[in-house]
């Protein structure tokens, strides 16, 4: 089944390039999404072999990441079905768009399933190359600038990560393998000084891809300029893929007995990410850019949770699930707003509630979900992280954490309320009426389903999902 996840998109991508038909392209994207979801669900239920080869396998650590990717991709594919109908571009460009989506999801899937650090490094770079075209798809001045910045910064990051892999190999002495299980097995014998240096390079390298400050500069531009379905995949799936590699490297450092310096760096970058978001969220004029900074904030929370350990590991997995679903919903809904108002400028969007009530309520509920409003599962995750900080007597960090989250909440909330409930001008009302047909039923359903899951998981976590989360947390 794992081989199917990796081979099918290659075949589908070739067919998409050859046939160049809009309906066929969309069908291939949807078929892979459905296949991805069905296979992942079967693996979660214990069916099939979890080891495809020596290089790709499902384990307790990556299973939850794979499940999140599968759910988000399925939601994005359904939304994309309605979204591409309004594309006024050639069949050739749409085939390129669909081709790159297939390759992008394949690269992320491969990264998550990789059992080898070197292979994971290659596939992380593949996600950069495949998603760069998707960011540039609209072919505007800002989109090409965002794409170049994305490629440039992530390439520097991947180069730093490569140096980290070299240093890790030096520290491992006689262990001539980059297989994660081999590295875990012999971690205690690694040279601590070389390993610490390796972690610094890999944290900054893969952290650039994850969107951690201060190596986050590509993220606001890329997420704001990409088509909305791609923004959702970037924020809710790509960042998780890079985070998983950091988790695996952090486990090596922990087993080697030198985790204190790694924890310090994770907490430092986590709080810098929160601080950067708190500062910039009040100076943003583009609502998609605002959502991008929210992703930086949440990646910072994941880094902090990883460093704290204990119950915070369970919390960070809950947070990863909640953020992925809520942020995907937020970005997809921003696509509805863009279709209706034909602008990303915050000051030019008012009265979404009067323009389209379904979009407006999705906009508001996505905000409530991402800001950890009860019963959002993010409320539980952030509560557990705060609880862990208090138990470990990090009182100052806890106070700073809550302060920064409150500032960010107010900044995003102000924009959401202003755009949702403000008065809509006659000109805008006329424009909205002309564009209303562009927002189909496929562009509402995915957000509704994801938001239901976010708020239900804050009250009840099914036993099978709770077991998957616990197994993952135990292996961090």
């Amino acid at each position: 089944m794992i081989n199917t996840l990796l081979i099918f998109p290659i075949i589908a991508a070739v067919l998409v390039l050859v046939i160049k038909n809009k309906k066929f392209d969309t069908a291939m994207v949807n078929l892979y999404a459905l296949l991805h979801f069905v296979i992942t669900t079967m693996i979660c239920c214990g069916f099939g072999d979890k080891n495809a080869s020596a290089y790709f396998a499902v384990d307790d650590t990556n299973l939850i990441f794979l499940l999140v990717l599968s759910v988000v991709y399925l939601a994005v594919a359904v939304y994309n079905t309605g979204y591409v109908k309004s594309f006024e571009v050639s069949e050739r460009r749409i085939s390129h768009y669909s081709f790159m989506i297939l390759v992008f999801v394949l690269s992320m899937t491969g990264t998550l399933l990789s059992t080898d650090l070197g292979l994971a490094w290659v596939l992380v770079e593949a996600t950069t190359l495949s998603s760069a075209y998707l960011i540039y798809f609209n072919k505007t001045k800002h989109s090409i600038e965002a794409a170049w910045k994305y490629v440039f910064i992530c390439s520097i990051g991947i180069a730093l990560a490569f140096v980290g892999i070299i240093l890790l190999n030096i520290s491992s002495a006689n262990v001539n393998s980059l297989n994660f299980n081999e590295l875990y097995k012999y971690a205690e014998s690694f040279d601590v000084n070389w390993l610490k240096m390796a972690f610094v390079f890999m944290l900054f390298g893969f952290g650039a891809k994850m969107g951690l400050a201060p190596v986050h500069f590509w993220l606001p531009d890329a997420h704001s300029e990409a088509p909305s379905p791609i923004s959702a995949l970037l924020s809710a799936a790509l960042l998780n893929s890079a985070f998983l590699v950091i988790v695996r490297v952090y486990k090596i450092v922990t087993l080697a007995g030198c985790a204190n310096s790694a924890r310090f760096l994770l907490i430092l970058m986590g709080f810098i990410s929160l601080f950067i978001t708190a500062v910039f969220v009040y100076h943003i004029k583009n609502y998609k850019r605002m959502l991008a900074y929210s992703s930086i904030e949440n990646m910072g929370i994941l880094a902090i949770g990883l460093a704290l350990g204990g119950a915070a590991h369970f919390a960070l997995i809950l947070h990863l699930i909640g953020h992925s679903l809520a942020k995907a919903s937020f970005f997809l809904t921003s696509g509805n707003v863009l279709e209706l108002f034909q602008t990303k400028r915050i000051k030019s969007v008012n009265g979404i509630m009067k323009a389209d009530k379904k979009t407006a309520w999705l906009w508001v509920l996505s905000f409530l979900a991402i800001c950890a409003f009860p019963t959002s599962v993010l409320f539980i995750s952030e509560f557990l992280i705060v609880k862990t900080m208090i138990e470990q007597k990090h009182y100052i960090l806890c106070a700073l954490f809550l302060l920064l989250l409150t500032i960010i909440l107010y900044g995003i909330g102000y924009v959401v309320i202003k755009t949702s409930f403000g008065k809509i001008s006659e000109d805008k009302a006329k424009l909205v009426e002309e564009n209303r047909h562009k927002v189909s039923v496929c562009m509402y359903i995915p957000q509704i389903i994801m938001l239901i899951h976010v708020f239900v998981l804050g009250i009840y976590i099914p036993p099978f999902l709770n077991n998957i989360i616990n197994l993952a947390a135990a292996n961090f």
Side-chain angles (χ1 to χ4, degrees), residues 70-90:
S70 189
V71 171
V72 169
Y73 176 42
L74 181 61
V76 168
V78 173
Y79 181 92
N80 188 66
T81 303
Y83 188 78
V84 296
K85 289 180 180 178
S86 62
F87 278 5
E88 296 178 358
V89 298
S90 65

Side-chain angles (χ1 to χ4, degrees), residues 391-403:
E391 287 177 346
Q392 296 180 3
K393 299 182 180 180
H394 299 311
Y395 301 122
I396 296 175
L397 289 180
C398 182
L400 181 60
F401 182 77
L402 292 172
L403 175 63

Side-chain angles (χ1 to χ4, degrees), residues 183-192 195 252 254-257:
L183 294 172
Y184 297 156
K185 183 178 179 180
Y186 297 105
E188 291 183 357
S189 65
F190 289 2
D191 186 294
V192 173
L195 186 57
I252 297 170
T254 302
L255 292 173

Side-chain angles (χ1 to χ4, degrees), residues 8-268:
F8 177 83
I10 298 173
I11 299 170
V14 172
L15 291 174
V16 161
L17 281 184
V18 172
I19 295 174
K20 290 186 175 67
N21 178 274
K22 187 175 182 178
K23 289 183 179 179
F24 179 80
D25 297 347
T26 305
M28 284 296 100
V29 171
N30 287 339
L31 182 58
Y32 183 40
L34 184 61
L35 189 67
H36 203 293
F37 179 75
V38 170
I39 290 176
T40 302
T41 303
M42 289 177 69
I43 292 172
C44 289
C45 294
F47 296 101
D49 188 4
K50 291 186 177 182
N51 297 297
S53 67
Y55 297 101
F56 297 102
V58 174
D59 57 30
D60 292 337
T61 306
N62 66 11
L63 181 56
I64 190 66
F65 287 81
L66 185 66
L67 181 59
V68 169
L69 169 61
S70 189
V71 171
V72 169
Y73 176 42
L74 181 61
V76 168
V78 173
Y79 181 92
N80 188 66
T81 303
Y83 188 78
V84 296
K85 289 180 180 178
S86 62
F87 278 5
E88 296 178 358
V89 298
S90 65
E91 297 274 354
R92 182 170 173 270
R93 277 188 65 192
I94 292 177
S95 71
H96 291 168
Y97 172 80
S98 301
F99 172 84
M100 286 302 182
I101 288 178
L102 291 167
V103 176
F104 182 37
V105 176
L106 168 62
S107 301
M108 289 189 289
T109 303
T111 301
L112 296 180
L113 295 176
S114 175
T115 61
D116 186 275
L117 179 56
L119 181 59
W121 178 85
V122 171
L123 290 168
V124 167
E125 179 63 8
T127 63
T128 302
L129 299 176
S130 56
S131 55
Y133 174 82
L134 297 170
I135 293 168
Y136 170 62
F137 180 76
N138 291 322
K139 295 190 175 181
T140 63
K141 175 185 174 182
H142 295 296
S143 65
I144 192 171
E145 180 184 341
W148 275 112
K149 185 183 290 187
Y150 172 60
V151 171
F152 180 71
I153 294 175
C154 288
S155 295
I156 292 174
I158 212 71
L160 291 174
F162 183 69
V163 174
I165 292 172
I166 293 172
L167 294 173
L168 174 64
N169 197 41
I170 294 172
S171 75
S172 62
N174 297 323
V175 181
N176 296 315
S177 172
L178 289 176
N179 181 276
F180 288 117
N181 288 331
E182 289 290 312
L183 294 172
Y184 297 156
K185 183 178 179 180
Y186 297 105
E188 291 183 357
S189 65
F190 289 2
D191 186 294
V192 173
N193 293 322
W194 285 110
L195 186 57
K196 287 179 179 178
M197 289 176 61
F199 183 78
V200 172
F201 277 92
M202 281 190 275
L203 178 60
F204 275 86
F206 291 116
K209 194 73 179 184
M210 182 182 167
L212 282 175
V215 284
H216 67 285
F217 301 105
W218 66 270
L219 194 149
D221 297 277
H223 287 211
S224 63
E225 292 304 322
S228 294
I230 307 308
S231 298
L233 280 176
L234 287 169
S235 184
L238 175 62
L239 306 186
N240 295 345
S241 302
F243 178 58
L244 176 60
V245 181
I246 293 174
V247 167
R248 292 196 184 278
V249 175
Y250 176 73
K251 183 175 180 179
I252 297 170
V253 174
T254 302
L255 292 173
C258 56
N260 287 337
S261 59
R263 290 193 189 101
F264 173 78
L265 285 173
L266 285 167
I267 288 177
L268 179 62

